Coordinates of all heavy atoms in Angstrom, one line a residue:
G1 N -3.6 -12.8 -1.0 CA -3.2 -12.2 -2.2 C -4.3 -12.1 -3.3 O -5.3 -11.4 -3.1
W2 N -4.1 -12.9 -4.4 CA -5.0 -12.8 -5.5 C -6.4 -13.3 -5.1 O -7.4 -12.7 -5.5 CB -4.5 -13.6 -6.7 CG -3.4 -12.9 -7.4 CD1 -2.1 -13.3 -7.5 CD2 -3.5 -11.8 -8.2 NE1 -1.4 -12.4 -8.2 CE2 -2.2 -11.5 -8.7 CE3 -4.6 -10.9 -8.6 CZ2 -2.0 -10.4 -9.6 CZ3 -4.3 -9.8 -9.4 CH2 -3.1 -9.6 -9.9
A3 N -6.5 -14.3 -4.3 CA -7.8 -14.9 -3.9 C -8.6 -13.8 -3.2 O -9.8 -13.7 -3.4 CB -7.7 -16.1 -3.1
M4 N -8.0 -13.1 -2.2 CA -8.7 -12.1 -1.5 C -9.1 -11.0 -2.4 O -10.3 -10.5 -2.3 CB -7.8 -11.5 -0.4 CG -8.5 -10.5 0.5 SD -7.3 -10.0 1.8 CE -8.4 -8.9 2.7
W5 N -8.2 -10.6 -3.3 CA -8.6 -9.5 -4.3 C -9.8 -9.9 -5.1 O -10.7 -9.1 -5.3 CB -7.4 -9.2 -5.1 CG -7.7 -8.2 -6.2 CD1 -7.6 -8.5 -7.6 CD2 -8.2 -6.9 -6.1 NE1 -8.0 -7.4 -8.3 CE2 -8.4 -6.4 -7.4 CE3 -8.6 -6.1 -5.1 CZ2 -8.9 -5.1 -7.7 CZ3 -9.0 -4.8 -5.3 CH2 -9.2 -4.3 -6.6
K6 N -9.8 -11.1 -5.6 CA -10.9 -11.6 -6.5 C -12.2 -11.6 -5.7 O -13.2 -11.3 -6.3 CB -10.5 -12.9 -7.1 CG -9.5 -12.9 -8.1 CD -9.2 -14.3 -8.7 CE -8.1 -14.2 -9.7 NZ -7.7 -15.6 -10.2
T7 N -12.1 -11.9 -4.4 CA -13.3 -12.0 -3.6 C -14.0 -10.6 -3.5 O -15.2 -10.5 -3.5 CB -12.9 -12.5 -2.2 OG1 -12.4 -13.8 -2.3 CG2 -14.2 -12.5 -1.3
Y8 N -13.2 -9.5 -3.4 CA -13.7 -8.2 -3.1 C -13.7 -7.3 -4.3 O -14.2 -6.2 -4.3 CB -12.9 -7.5 -2.0 CG -13.0 -8.3 -0.7 CD1 -12.0 -9.0 -0.1 CD2 -14.3 -8.4 0.0 CE1 -12.1 -9.7 1.0 CE2 -14.4 -9.1 1.1 CZ -13.3 -9.7 1.7 OH -13.5 -10.5 2.8
L9 N -13.3 -7.8 -5.5 CA -13.2 -7.0 -6.7 C -14.6 -6.5 -7.1 O -14.7 -5.3 -7.6 CB -12.6 -7.9 -7.8 CG -12.5 -7.2 -9.2 CD1 -11.6 -6.0 -9.1 CD2 -12.0 -8.2 -10.2
G10 N -15.7 -7.2 -6.9 CA -17.0 -6.8 -7.3 C -17.6 -5.7 -6.4 O -18.6 -5.1 -6.7
R11 N -16.9 -5.4 -5.3 CA -17.5 -4.3 -4.4 C -17.2 -2.9 -5.0 O -16.3 -2.8 -5.9 CB -16.8 -4.4 -3.0 CG -17.2 -5.6 -2.3 CD -16.7 -5.6 -0.9 NE -17.2 -6.8 -0.1 CZ -17.3 -6.8 1.2 NH1 -17.0 -5.8 1.9 NH2 -17.7 -7.9 1.8
P12 N -17.9 -1.9 -4.6 CA -17.6 -0.6 -5.1 C -16.2 -0.1 -4.8 O -15.6 -0.6 -3.8 CB -18.6 0.3 -4.3 CG -19.6 -0.6 -3.7 CD -19.0 -1.9 -3.6
E13 N -15.6 0.7 -5.7 CA -14.3 1.2 -5.5 C -14.0 1.8 -4.2 O -13.0 1.8 -3.6 CB -13.9 2.1 -6.6 CG -12.5 2.5 -6.7 CD -12.2 3.4 -7.9 OE1 -12.5 4.6 -7.8 OE2 -11.8 2.9 -9.0
S14 N -15.1 2.4 -3.6 CA -14.9 3.2 -2.3 C -15.0 2.3 -1.1 O -14.8 2.7 0.0 CB -16.0 4.2 -2.3 OG -17.3 3.6 -2.3
D15 N -15.3 1.0 -1.3 CA -15.5 0.0 -0.2 C -14.1 -0.1 0.5 O -13.1 -0.4 -0.1 CB -16.0 -1.3 -0.7 CG -16.2 -2.3 0.4 OD1 -17.2 -2.2 1.1 OD2 -15.3 -3.2 0.6
G16 N -14.1 0.0 1.8 CA -12.9 -0.1 2.6 C -12.3 -1.4 2.6 O -11.0 -1.6 2.5
T17 N -13.1 -2.5 2.5 CA -12.5 -3.8 2.4 C -11.8 -4.1 1.1 O -10.8 -4.7 1.0 CB -13.6 -4.9 2.7 OG1 -14.3 -4.6 3.9 CG2 -13.1 -6.3 2.7
R18 N -12.4 -3.5 0.1 CA -11.8 -3.6 -1.3 C -10.4 -2.9 -1.3 O -9.4 -3.4 -1.8 CB -12.7 -3.1 -2.4 CG -12.1 -3.2 -3.7 CD -12.9 -2.6 -4.8 NE -12.2 -2.7 -6.1 CZ -12.6 -2.3 -7.2 NH1 -13.8 -1.7 -7.3 NH2 -11.9 -2.4 -8.3
C19 N -10.4 -1.7 -0.7 CA -9.2 -0.9 -0.6 C -8.1 -1.7 0.2 O -6.9 -1.7 -0.2 CB -9.4 0.5 0.0 SG -10.4 1.6 -1.0
N20 N -8.5 -2.3 1.2 CA -7.6 -3.1 2.1 C -7.1 -4.3 1.3 O -5.9 -4.6 1.3 CB -8.3 -3.6 3.3 CG -7.4 -4.2 4.3 OD1 -6.3 -3.8 4.5 ND2 -7.9 -5.3 5.0
A21 N -8.0 -4.9 0.5 CA -7.6 -6.1 -0.3 C -6.5 -5.8 -1.3 O -5.6 -6.6 -1.5 CB -8.8 -6.7 -0.9
I22 N -6.6 -4.7 -2.0 CA -5.7 -4.3 -3.0 C -4.3 -4.0 -2.3 O -3.3 -4.4 -2.9 CB -6.1 -3.2 -3.9 CG1 -5.2 -3.1 -5.2 CG2 -6.2 -1.9 -3.2 CD1 -5.7 -2.2 -6.3
G23 N -4.3 -3.4 -1.2 CA -3.1 -3.2 -0.4 C -2.4 -4.5 0.0 O -1.2 -4.6 -0.1
I24 N -3.2 -5.4 0.4 CA -2.7 -6.7 0.8 C -2.1 -7.4 -0.4 O -1.0 -8.1 -0.3 CB -3.7 -7.6 1.5 CG1 -4.0 -7.0 2.9 CG2 -3.3 -9.0 1.7 CD1 -5.2 -7.6 3.6
L25 N -2.8 -7.4 -1.5 CA -2.2 -8.0 -2.7 C -0.9 -7.4 -3.1 O 0.1 -8.1 -3.3 CB -3.2 -7.8 -3.9 CG -2.7 -8.2 -5.3 CD1 -2.4 -9.7 -5.3 CD2 -3.8 -7.9 -6.3
G26 N -0.8 -6.1 -3.0 CA 0.5 -5.4 -3.4 C 1.6 -5.8 -2.4 O 2.7 -6.1 -2.9
T27 N 1.3 -5.8 -1.2 CA 2.4 -6.1 -0.2 C 2.8 -7.6 -0.3 O 3.9 -7.9 -0.1 CB 2.0 -5.7 1.3 OG1 0.8 -6.4 1.6 CG2 1.9 -4.2 1.4
T28 N 1.8 -8.4 -0.6 CA 2.1 -9.9 -0.8 C 3.0 -10.1 -2.0 O 4.0 -10.8 -1.9 CB 0.8 -10.7 -0.9 OG1 0.0 -10.5 0.3 CG2 1.1 -12.2 -1.1
L29 N 2.7 -9.4 -3.1 CA 3.5 -9.5 -4.3 C 4.9 -9.0 -4.0 O 5.9 -9.7 -4.3 CB 2.9 -8.8 -5.4 CG 1.7 -9.3 -6.1 CD1 1.0 -8.3 -7.0 CD2 1.9 -10.6 -6.8
D30 N 5.0 -7.9 -3.3 CA 6.3 -7.3 -3.0 C 7.1 -8.2 -2.1 O 8.3 -8.4 -2.3 CB 6.1 -5.9 -2.4 CG 7.4 -5.1 -2.3 OD1 8.2 -5.1 -3.3 OD2 7.7 -4.5 -1.2
S31 N 6.5 -8.7 -1.0 CA 7.3 -9.5 -0.1 C 7.7 -10.9 -0.7 O 8.6 -11.5 -0.1 CB 6.5 -9.7 1.2 OG 5.3 -10.5 1.0
N32 N 7.1 -11.3 -1.8 CA 7.4 -12.5 -2.5 C 8.4 -12.2 -3.6 O 8.6 -13.1 -4.5 CB 6.2 -13.2 -2.9 CG 5.5 -13.9 -1.8 OD1 6.1 -14.8 -1.1 ND2 4.3 -13.6 -1.5
G33 N 9.0 -11.0 -3.6 CA 10.0 -10.7 -4.6 C 9.4 -10.4 -6.0 O 10.2 -10.2 -7.0
R34 N 8.1 -10.2 -6.1 CA 7.5 -9.8 -7.4 C 7.3 -8.3 -7.5 O 6.2 -7.8 -7.6 CB 6.2 -10.6 -7.5 CG 6.5 -12.1 -7.6 CD 5.3 -13.0 -7.5 NE 4.4 -12.8 -8.6 CZ 3.3 -13.5 -8.7 NH1 2.9 -14.3 -7.8 NH2 2.5 -13.3 -9.8
H35 N 8.4 -7.6 -7.3 CA 8.3 -6.1 -7.2 C 7.7 -5.4 -8.4 O 7.0 -4.5 -8.2 CB 9.8 -5.6 -6.9 CG 10.5 -6.4 -5.8 ND1 10.0 -6.5 -4.5 CD2 11.6 -7.1 -5.8 CE1 10.8 -7.2 -3.8 NE2 11.8 -7.6 -4.6
E36 N 8.1 -5.9 -9.6 CA 7.5 -5.2 -10.8 C 6.0 -5.3 -10.8 O 5.3 -4.4 -11.3 CB 8.2 -5.8 -12.0 CG 9.6 -5.5 -12.3 CD 9.9 -4.0 -12.7 OE1 8.9 -3.3 -13.1 OE2 11.0 -3.6 -12.5
E37 N 5.5 -6.5 -10.4 CA 4.0 -6.7 -10.4 C 3.4 -5.9 -9.3 O 2.3 -5.4 -9.4 CB 3.7 -8.2 -10.2 CG 4.1 -9.0 -11.4 CD 3.9 -10.5 -11.1 OE1 2.7 -10.9 -11.2 OE2 4.9 -11.2 -10.8
A38 N 4.1 -5.8 -8.2 CA 3.6 -5.1 -7.0 C 3.5 -3.6 -7.2 O 2.5 -3.0 -6.6 CB 4.5 -5.4 -5.8
L39 N 4.4 -3.0 -7.9 CA 4.4 -1.6 -8.0 C 3.1 -1.0 -8.5 O 2.6 -0.1 -7.8 CB 5.6 -1.1 -8.9 CG 5.7 0.4 -9.1 CD1 6.0 1.0 -7.7 CD2 6.8 0.7 -10.0
P40 N 2.5 -1.4 -9.6 CA 1.3 -0.7 -10.0 C 0.1 -1.0 -9.1 O -0.8 -0.2 -8.9 CB 1.0 -1.3 -11.4 CG 1.8 -2.5 -11.5 CD 3.0 -2.3 -10.6
V41 N 0.2 -2.1 -8.4 CA -0.9 -2.5 -7.4 C -0.8 -1.5 -6.2 O -1.8 -1.0 -5.7 CB -0.8 -4.0 -7.0 CG1 -1.8 -4.3 -5.9 CG2 -1.0 -4.9 -8.2
L42 N 0.4 -1.3 -5.7 CA 0.6 -0.5 -4.6 C 0.4 1.0 -4.9 O -0.1 1.8 -4.1 CB 2.1 -0.6 -4.0 CG 2.3 -2.0 -3.4 CD1 3.8 -2.2 -3.1 CD2 1.5 -2.1 -2.1
E43 N 0.7 1.4 -6.2 CA 0.3 2.8 -6.6 C -1.2 2.9 -6.6 O -1.7 4.0 -6.2 CB 0.9 3.0 -8.0 CG 2.4 3.2 -8.0 CD 3.1 3.2 -9.4 OE1 2.5 2.7 -10.3 OE2 4.1 3.9 -9.5
A44 N -1.9 1.9 -7.1 CA -3.4 2.0 -7.1 C -3.9 2.0 -5.7 O -4.9 2.7 -5.4 CB -3.9 0.8 -7.9
S45 N -3.3 1.2 -4.8 CA -3.7 1.2 -3.4 C -3.6 2.6 -2.8 O -4.6 3.1 -2.1 CB -2.9 0.2 -2.7 OG -3.2 0.2 -1.3
L46 N -2.5 3.2 -3.0 CA -2.3 4.6 -2.5 C -3.3 5.6 -3.1 O -3.9 6.3 -2.3 CB -0.9 5.1 -2.7 CG -0.5 6.5 -2.2 CD1 -0.8 6.6 -0.7 CD2 0.9 6.8 -2.5
A47 N -3.5 5.5 -4.4 CA -4.5 6.4 -5.0 C -5.9 6.2 -4.5 O -6.6 7.2 -4.2 CB -4.4 6.2 -6.5
L48 N -6.3 4.9 -4.3 CA -7.6 4.7 -3.8 C -7.8 5.2 -2.3 O -8.8 5.7 -2.0 CB -7.9 3.2 -3.8 CG -8.3 2.6 -5.2 CD1 -8.3 1.1 -5.1 CD2 -9.6 3.2 -5.7
N49 N -6.7 4.9 -1.5 CA -6.8 5.4 -0.2 C -6.8 6.9 -0.1 O -7.5 7.4 0.8 CB -5.6 4.8 0.6 CG -5.9 3.3 1.0 OD1 -6.9 3.0 1.5 ND2 -4.9 2.5 0.7
R50 N -6.1 7.5 -0.9 CA -6.1 9.0 -0.9 C -7.5 9.5 -1.3 O -8.0 10.5 -0.8 CB -5.0 9.6 -1.8 CG -3.6 9.6 -1.3 CD -2.6 10.2 -2.2 NE -1.4 10.3 -1.5 CZ -0.2 10.4 -2.2 NH1 -0.2 10.3 -3.5 NH2 0.9 10.6 -1.5
R51 N -8.1 8.8 -2.2 CA -9.4 9.3 -2.7 C -10.5 9.0 -1.7 O -11.4 9.8 -1.5 CB -9.7 8.6 -4.1 CG -11.0 9.0 -4.7 CD -11.3 8.4 -6.1 NE -10.1 8.6 -6.9 CZ -9.6 7.5 -7.6 NH1 -10.1 6.3 -7.6 NH2 -8.5 7.7 -8.4
Y52 N -10.5 7.8 -1.1 CA -11.7 7.4 -0.3 C -11.4 7.3 1.2 O -12.3 7.2 2.0 CB -12.2 6.0 -0.8 CG -12.6 6.0 -2.2 CD1 -12.0 5.3 -3.2 CD2 -13.8 6.8 -2.6 CE1 -12.4 5.4 -4.5 CE2 -14.2 6.8 -3.9 CZ -13.5 6.1 -4.8 OH -13.9 6.2 -6.2
C53 N -10.2 7.4 1.6 CA -9.8 7.3 3.0 C -8.9 8.5 3.4 O -8.1 8.4 4.3 CB -9.1 6.0 3.3 SG -10.1 4.6 3.0
S54 N -9.1 9.6 2.8 CA -8.2 10.8 3.1 C -8.3 11.2 4.5 O -7.4 11.9 5.0 CB -8.5 11.9 2.1 OG -9.8 12.3 2.2
H55 N -9.4 10.9 5.1 CA -9.6 11.3 6.5 C -8.8 10.4 7.5 O -8.6 10.8 8.7 CB -11.1 11.2 6.9 CG -11.6 9.8 6.7 ND1 -11.9 9.2 5.5 CD2 -11.8 8.8 7.6 CE1 -12.3 8.0 5.7 NE2 -12.2 7.7 7.0
D56 N -8.3 9.3 7.0 CA -7.5 8.4 7.9 C -6.1 8.5 7.6 O -5.5 7.8 6.7 CB -8.1 7.0 7.7 CG -7.6 6.0 8.7 OD1 -6.5 6.3 9.4 OD2 -8.2 5.0 8.9
E57 N -5.4 9.3 8.3 CA -3.9 9.6 8.1 C -3.1 8.3 8.2 O -2.2 8.1 7.4 CB -3.5 10.6 9.2 CG -2.0 11.0 9.1 CD -1.8 12.0 8.0 OE1 -2.7 12.6 7.4 OE2 -0.6 12.3 7.7
E58 N -3.4 7.4 9.1 CA -2.7 6.2 9.3 C -2.8 5.3 8.1 O -1.8 4.7 7.6 CB -3.1 5.4 10.5 CG -2.2 4.3 10.9 CD -0.8 4.7 11.3 OE1 -0.6 5.8 11.7 OE2 0.1 3.8 11.2
V59 N -3.9 5.2 7.5 CA -4.1 4.4 6.3 C -3.3 4.9 5.1 O -2.6 4.1 4.4 CB -5.6 4.3 5.9 CG1 -5.8 3.7 4.5 CG2 -6.4 3.5 6.9
I60 N -3.2 6.2 5.0 CA -2.4 6.8 3.9 C -0.9 6.6 4.2 O -0.2 6.2 3.2 CB -2.7 8.3 3.8 CG1 -4.2 8.6 3.6 CG2 -1.8 9.0 2.8 CD1 -4.7 8.1 2.3
L61 N -0.5 6.7 5.4 CA 0.9 6.5 5.7 C 1.3 5.1 5.5 O 2.5 4.8 5.0 CB 1.2 6.9 7.2 CG 1.1 8.4 7.5 CD1 1.2 8.7 9.0 CD2 2.2 9.2 6.7
I62 N 0.5 4.1 5.8 CA 0.8 2.7 5.6 C 0.9 2.5 4.1 O 1.9 1.8 3.6 CB -0.3 1.8 6.2 CG1 -0.1 1.8 7.7 CG2 -0.2 0.4 5.7 CD1 -1.3 1.2 8.5
A63 N 0.0 3.0 3.3 CA 0.1 2.8 1.8 C 1.3 3.4 1.3 O 2.0 2.9 0.4 CB -1.2 3.4 1.2
Q64 N 1.7 4.6 1.8 CA 2.9 5.3 1.3 C 4.2 4.4 1.7 O 5.1 4.3 0.9 CB 3.1 6.7 1.9 CG 2.1 7.7 1.3 CD 2.3 9.0 2.0 OE1 2.2 9.1 3.2 NE2 2.4 10.0 1.1
T65 N 4.2 3.9 2.9 CA 5.3 3.1 3.4 C 5.5 1.8 2.5 O 6.6 1.5 2.1 CB 5.1 2.7 4.8 OG1 5.0 3.9 5.6 CG2 6.2 1.8 5.3
N66 N 4.3 1.2 2.2 CA 4.4 0.0 1.3 C 4.9 0.3 -0.1 O 5.8 -0.4 -0.6 CB 3.0 -0.6 1.2 CG 2.5 -1.2 2.5 OD1 3.3 -1.5 3.4 ND2 1.2 -1.4 2.7
L67 N 4.5 1.5 -0.6 CA 5.0 1.9 -1.9 C 6.5 2.2 -1.9 O 7.2 1.8 -2.8 CB 4.1 3.1 -2.4 CG 4.5 3.6 -3.8 CD1 4.5 2.5 -4.9 CD2 3.6 4.7 -4.2
A68 N 6.9 2.9 -0.8 CA 8.3 3.3 -0.7 C 9.2 2.1 -0.6 O 10.3 2.0 -1.2 CB 8.5 4.2 0.5
S69 N 8.7 1.1 0.1 CA 9.5 -0.2 0.3 C 9.6 -0.9 -1.1 O 10.7 -1.3 -1.4 CB 8.7 -1.1 1.2 OG 9.4 -2.3 1.3
C70 N 8.6 -0.9 -1.9 CA 8.6 -1.5 -3.2 C 9.6 -0.8 -4.1 O 10.4 -1.4 -4.8 CB 7.2 -1.6 -3.8 SG 7.1 -2.5 -5.4
L71 N 9.5 0.6 -4.1 CA 10.4 1.4 -4.9 C 11.8 1.1 -4.5 O 12.7 1.0 -5.4 CB 10.0 2.9 -4.7 CG 8.8 3.3 -5.4 CD1 8.4 4.7 -4.9 CD2 8.9 3.3 -6.9
S72 N 12.1 1.0 -3.2 CA 13.5 0.7 -2.8 C 13.9 -0.7 -3.3 O 15.0 -0.9 -3.7 CB 13.6 0.7 -1.3 OG 13.4 2.0 -0.8
D73 N 13.0 -1.7 -3.2 CA 13.3 -3.0 -3.7 C 13.6 -3.0 -5.2 O 14.4 -3.9 -5.6 CB 12.1 -4.0 -3.4 CG 11.9 -4.2 -2.0 OD1 12.8 -4.1 -1.2 OD2 10.7 -4.6 -1.6
L74 N 13.1 -2.1 -5.9 CA 13.3 -2.0 -7.3 C 14.5 -1.1 -7.7 O 14.9 -0.9 -8.8 CB 12.1 -1.4 -8.1 CG 10.9 -2.3 -8.1 CD1 9.6 -1.5 -8.5 CD2 11.1 -3.5 -9.1
G75 N 15.2 -0.6 -6.6 CA 16.4 0.2 -6.8 C 16.0 1.6 -7.2 O 16.9 2.4 -7.6
R76 N 14.8 2.0 -7.0 CA 14.3 3.4 -7.4 C 14.4 4.2 -6.1 O 13.4 4.7 -5.6 CB 12.9 3.3 -8.0 CG 13.0 2.6 -9.3 CD 11.6 2.3 -9.9 NE 10.8 3.4 -10.1 CZ 9.6 3.4 -10.8 NH1 9.1 2.2 -11.2 NH2 8.9 4.5 -10.9
D77 N 15.6 4.3 -5.6 CA 15.8 4.9 -4.3 C 15.5 6.4 -4.2 O 15.0 6.9 -3.1 CB 17.3 4.7 -3.8 CG 17.6 3.2 -3.7 OD1 16.7 2.5 -3.2 OD2 18.7 2.8 -4.1
D78 N 15.7 7.2 -5.3 CA 15.3 8.6 -5.2 C 13.8 8.8 -5.0 O 13.4 9.6 -4.2 CB 15.8 9.3 -6.5 CG 17.3 9.4 -6.6 OD1 18.0 9.3 -5.6 OD2 17.8 9.6 -7.8
E79 N 13.0 8.0 -5.7 CA 11.6 8.1 -5.6 C 11.1 7.6 -4.2 O 10.3 8.2 -3.6 CB 10.9 7.2 -6.6 CG 11.1 7.8 -8.0 CD 10.6 6.8 -9.1 OE1 9.4 6.7 -9.3 OE2 11.4 6.1 -9.6
A80 N 11.8 6.5 -3.7 CA 11.5 6.0 -2.4 C 11.8 7.0 -1.3 O 11.0 7.2 -0.4 CB 12.2 4.7 -2.1
L81 N 12.9 7.7 -1.5 CA 13.3 8.7 -0.5 C 12.3 9.9 -0.4 O 12.1 10.4 0.7 CB 14.7 9.3 -0.8 CG 15.4 10.2 0.1 CD1 15.4 9.6 1.5 CD2 16.7 10.7 -0.3
V82 N 11.8 10.3 -1.5 CA 10.8 11.4 -1.5 C 9.6 11.0 -0.6 O 9.1 11.7 0.2 CB 10.3 11.7 -3.0 CG1 9.1 12.6 -2.9 CG2 11.5 12.4 -3.7
L83 N 9.1 9.7 -0.9 CA 8.0 9.2 -0.1 C 8.4 9.1 1.4 O 7.6 9.4 2.3 CB 7.5 7.9 -0.6 CG 6.5 7.9 -1.7 CD1 6.2 6.5 -2.2 CD2 5.2 8.5 -1.3
K84 N 9.6 8.5 1.7 CA 10.0 8.4 3.1 C 10.1 9.7 3.8 O 9.7 9.8 5.0 CB 11.3 7.6 3.1 CG 11.2 6.2 2.7 CD 12.5 5.5 2.7 CE 12.4 4.0 2.2 NZ 13.6 3.3 2.1
R85 N 10.5 10.7 3.1 CA 10.6 12.0 3.7 C 9.2 12.6 4.1 O 9.0 13.2 5.1 CB 11.4 13.0 2.9 CG 12.9 12.8 2.9 CD 13.6 13.8 2.0 NE 15.0 13.6 2.1 CZ 15.9 13.9 1.2 NH1 15.5 14.5 0.1 NH2 17.2 13.7 1.4
E86 N 8.3 12.4 3.1 CA 6.9 12.8 3.4 C 6.3 12.0 4.6 O 5.6 12.6 5.4 CB 6.1 12.6 2.1 CG 4.7 13.1 2.3 CD 3.8 12.9 1.0 OE1 4.4 12.9 -0.1 OE2 2.6 12.9 1.1
I87 N 6.6 10.7 4.6 CA 6.1 9.9 5.7 C 6.6 10.4 7.0 O 5.9 10.6 8.0 CB 6.4 8.4 5.5 CG1 5.7 7.9 4.3 CG2 6.2 7.6 6.8 CD1 6.3 6.6 3.8
Y88 N 8.0 10.7 7.1 CA 8.6 11.1 8.3 C 8.0 12.5 8.7 O 7.7 12.6 9.9 CB 10.1 11.3 8.0 CG 10.9 11.8 9.2 CD1 11.2 11.0 10.3 CD2 11.2 13.2 9.2 CE1 11.8 11.6 11.4 CE2 11.9 13.7 10.3 CZ 12.2 12.9 11.4 OH 12.8 13.5 12.5
T89 N 7.9 13.4 7.8 CA 7.3 14.7 8.1 C 5.9 14.6 8.7 O 5.6 15.3 9.7 CB 7.3 15.6 6.8 OG1 8.6 15.7 6.3 CG2 6.7 17.0 7.1
R90 N 5.1 13.7 8.2 CA 3.7 13.6 8.7 C 3.7 12.9 10.0 O 2.7 13.0 10.8 CB 2.9 12.9 7.6 CG 2.7 13.7 6.4 CD 2.1 12.9 5.3 NE 0.7 13.0 5.4 CZ -0.1 12.5 4.5 NH1 0.3 11.8 3.4 NH2 -1.4 12.6 4.6
R91 N 4.7 12.1 10.3 CA 4.7 11.3 11.6 C 5.3 12.1 12.8 O 5.0 11.8 13.9 CB 5.5 10.0 11.5 CG 4.7 9.0 10.6 CD 5.1 7.6 11.1 NE 4.5 6.6 10.3 CZ 3.4 5.9 10.6 NH1 2.8 6.3 11.7 NH2 2.9 5.0 9.8
V92 N 6.1 13.1 12.4 CA 6.7 13.9 13.5 C 5.8 15.0 14.0 O 5.0 15.5 13.4 CB 8.1 14.5 13.0 CG1 8.7 15.4 14.1 CG2 9.0 13.5 12.5

């Protein structure tokens, strides 16, 4: 979680390991019930992945899935459903 993020924070924003670290932080927060804290982290993770890893469809889909899960956990089902439909469309 936080320790990993702090380790890679000094790397360039485009660094793949840094992008991975922020995603892990977000999913760790979410899986530990800290959904409100996880949401902006997962949103940032998706934005970074879209910006720097747009060529890797799987990375984008994972980030979207993590964000959709967090939104569902927060009871924001309409927003989660939009993402889940996009994920489904891209996987089929």
Side-chain angles (χ1 to χ4, degrees):
W2 283 110
M4 183 178 184
W5 171 242
K6 288 178 182 178
T7 300
Y8 298 112
L9 179 60
R11 291 186 178 206
E13 190 176 81
S14 60
D15 181 79
T17 304
R18 180 182 176 181
C19 290
N20 188 39
I22 195 170
I24 290 170
L25 173 59
T27 55
T28 300
L29 289 168
D30 190 45
S31 65
N32 284 299
R34 297 168 66 180
H35 312 301
E36 290 288 341
E37 292 174 78
L39 183 62
V41 176
L42 292 170
E43 289 171 332
S45 174
L46 178 57
L48 285 172
N49 282 310
R50 281 182 171 156
R51 186 176 307 131
Y52 299 113
C53 299
S54 61
H55 61 281
D56 192 337
E57 183 80 8
E58 190 63 25
V59 168
I60 303 298
L61 291 171
I62 290 168
Q64 286 178 308
T65 300
N66 293 338
L67 180 55
S69 174
C70 184
L71 288 166
S72 291
D73 292 337
L74 288 167
R76 294 168 62 173
D77 297 320
D78 292 340
E79 293 169 80
L81 184 58
V82 169
L83 273 175
K84 289 176 182 179
R85 285 181 175 154
E86 185 178 334
I87 294 162
Y88 176 79
T89 301
R90 293 171 86 177
R91 288 209 184 265
V92 178

